[in-house]
């Protein structure tokens, strides 16, 4: 009999093999493994795991269905709360949300909720199980800006309630950060993202690509000329931040956004695509979040020696533990307690190295993490030909600057109520990275759900 205190291990691609390809790292569970893992769930009456989920999935409900072998039933339970389960099962930080609340985890391993969600969602995609849709429309028109996780979630929830929803996407492909930001080896685009978006389309949601709100049209025009009764802004945060150090404008310095977009959306990793990318022989990725791990692991697969330069220690790395573990397994080098001072540039304007300084941790700062402090006289140089800055992003100010009465804060983020996404402008709601700055997919989805709830309450007169 299996040890109920230990989770069923998940099969993964060998580290040496995957470091040279863009195939998905994790293979996930098969049905037998999923049912065995589901049997570890205690089916708590007061399920704390639900409280840890930003979209409040009935976790014991779907897990018990998996335990019974009723995978279609499990999908229907998840579908009541989430429009993107195959995506969340792969990229959601379950270890710090639902799984960290799992009672089973007190004396053993928590139930592998994320991997079970992924199995159920993949089963539904493979067997073309349709989501439940509204029987008829209610005649109300809603516009959603952005086809990332918050926009897709808001659109899906409203469509289920009978609203006529149109999603406007600035890029030529749907998915937002799901297609341009997250690498293929973590989130397959054709097998997962496109199929999840098809499920949203099956709910009746319409999509228009290559529409830049603030250029092609404005929110005011959508409401005044095209008769949209409410608008949800889920445009994300795609404006990269830099350090402002000498040499940062040199050739060979990228934002992680540009680097990942070239690889993920424009398929630069594939020789059959004519997309230039400076793969580099020796690459430094500055930062320690999930995006930094994505950029580092992408550069590694493109043939570079890769260093992650981060000014705090490993304990403070904001990236998921799983992503750091995978990066190390694959050969990414971590230069911790190290901070850039200057990017060194050759006579032709290209990166040739970087001056860094060693750090030590002092007292906690406003984020609760110990503040890094420079160690005088500890500077040294490292030889490089490419630097990728992964320091966070902020929203593009275009939408706010072209919308009358839309309030933003000092970080250029749209101000919106957490409970329902209402902004300072009547009938305009917002959520996700456009409001919070760069955060996780699942938090953006939670904001999309809140926005859909606010719009429904407004237009239904509740």
């Amino acid at each position: 009999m299996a040890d109920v205190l230990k989770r069923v291990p998940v099969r993964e691609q060998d580290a040496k093999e995957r470091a040279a390809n863009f195939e998905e790292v994790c293979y996930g569970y098969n049905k037998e493994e999923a049912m065995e893992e589901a049997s570890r769930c205690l089916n708590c009456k007061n399920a704390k795991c639900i409280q840890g989920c930003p979209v409040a999935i009935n976790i014991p409900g779907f897990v018990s269905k998996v335990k019974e072998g009723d995978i279609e039933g499990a999908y229907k339970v998840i579908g009541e709360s989430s429009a993107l389960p195959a995506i969340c099962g792969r990229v959601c930080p379950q270890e710090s949300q639902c799984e960290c609340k799992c009672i089973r985890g007190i004396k053993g391993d928590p139930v592998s909720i994320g991997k079970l969600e992924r199995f159920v969602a993949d089963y539904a995609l493979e067997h073309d199980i349709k989501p439940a849709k509204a029987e008829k429309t209610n005649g109300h028109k809603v516009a959603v800006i952005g086809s990332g996780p918050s926009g897709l979630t808001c659109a899906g929830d409203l469509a289920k309630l009978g609203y006529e929803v149109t999603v406007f996407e600035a890029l030529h492909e749907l998915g937002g950060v799901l297609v341009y930001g997250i690498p293929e080896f973590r989130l397959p685009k054709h097998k997962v993202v496109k199929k999840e978006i098809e499920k949203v389309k099956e709910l009746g949601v319409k999509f228009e690509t290559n529409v830049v709100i603030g250029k092609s049209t404005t929110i005011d025009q959508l409401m005044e000329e095209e008769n949209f009764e409410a608008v949800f802004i889920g445009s994300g945060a795609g404006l990269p931040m830099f350090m402002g150090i000498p040499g940062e404008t040199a050739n060979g310095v990228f934002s992680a956004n540009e680097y990942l977009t070239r690889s993920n959306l424009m398929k630069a990793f594939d020789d059959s695509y004519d997309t230039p990318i400076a793969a580099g022989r020796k690459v430094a990725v500055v930062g320690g979040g999930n995006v930094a791990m994505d950029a580092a692991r992408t550069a590694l697969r493109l043939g570079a020696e890769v260093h992650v330069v981060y000014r705090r220690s490993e304990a403070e790395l904001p990236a998921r533990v799983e992503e750091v573990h995978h990066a190390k397994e694959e050969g990414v080098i971590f230069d911790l307690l190290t901070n850039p001072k200057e990017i060194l540039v050759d006579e032709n304007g290209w990166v040739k190295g970087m001056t860094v300084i060693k750090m030590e941790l002092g007292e906690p700062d406003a984020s609760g993490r110990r503040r890094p402090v420079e160690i005088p006289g500890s500077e040294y140089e490292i030889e490089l030909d490419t630097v990728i800055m992964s320091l966070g992003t902020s929203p593009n100010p275009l939408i706010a600057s072209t919308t009358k009465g839309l309030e933003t804060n000092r970080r250029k983020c749209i101000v919106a109520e957490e409970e329902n996404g209402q902004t300072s402008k009547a009938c305009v709601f917002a959520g996700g990275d456009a409001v919070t700055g760069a955060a996780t997919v699942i938090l953006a989805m939670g904001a999309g759900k809140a926005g859909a709830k606010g719009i429904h309450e407004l237009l239904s007169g509740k």
Side-chain angles (χ1 to χ4, degrees), residues 310-312 315-318 361-372 410:
Y310 181 61
R311 62 185 185 152
R312 290 183 166 95
E316 286 80 29
L317 277 169
L361 296 179
E363 295 300 312
D365 62 14
S367 70
R369 295 179 298 174
R370 293 171 65 193
R371 186 187 301 277
R410 59 180 180 80

Side-chain angles (χ1 to χ4, degrees), residues 9 22 53 59 88 249 270 294 328 378 454 461:
F22 279 78
C53 175
I59 294 167
C88 285
T249 58
D270 189 332
D294 288 343
K328 285 183 174 180
S378 64

Side-chain angles (χ1 to χ4, degrees), residues 384-399:
L384 300 167
D385 57 16
T386 306
V387 177
I388 301 171
M389 291 291 182
S390 182
L391 306 167
T393 54
S394 62
N396 189 316
L398 182 62
I399 289 176

Side-chain angles (χ1 to χ4, degrees), residues 332-361:
V332 173
I333 300 160
F334 284 76
D335 296 339
L336 301 172
L337 289 167
T338 305
N339 205 39
K341 295 285 284 183
E342 180 181 0
I343 295 169
L344 306 174
V345 185
D346 68 17
E347 63 275 9
N348 297 314
W350 286 85
V351 171
K352 68 174 183 179
M354 188 160 66
T355 301
V356 298
I357 189 167
K358 297 301 292 180
M359 312 290 283
E360 60 185 356
L361 296 179

Side-chain angles (χ1 to χ4, degrees), residues 1 6 11 76 79 82 104 119 156 181 206 259 269 287 301 324 327 329 340 358 375 415:
M1 184 177 173
K6 296 286 185 184
R11 292 163 290 116
K76 288 177 179 175
S82 174
R104 177 62 83 187
F119 165 73
K206 297 173 185 174
Y259 197 83
F269 68 85
R301 283 161 169 76
V324 175
E329 275 190 330
K358 297 301 292 180
I375 300 174
V415 176

Side-chain angles (χ1 to χ4, degrees), residues 23-37:
E23 300 298 315
E24 190 167 14
V25 169
C26 179
Y27 294 136
Y29 286 143
N30 59 32
K31 187 174 181 181
E32 182 182 17
E33 292 164 339
M35 290 176 67
E36 182 182 342
E37 178 63 19

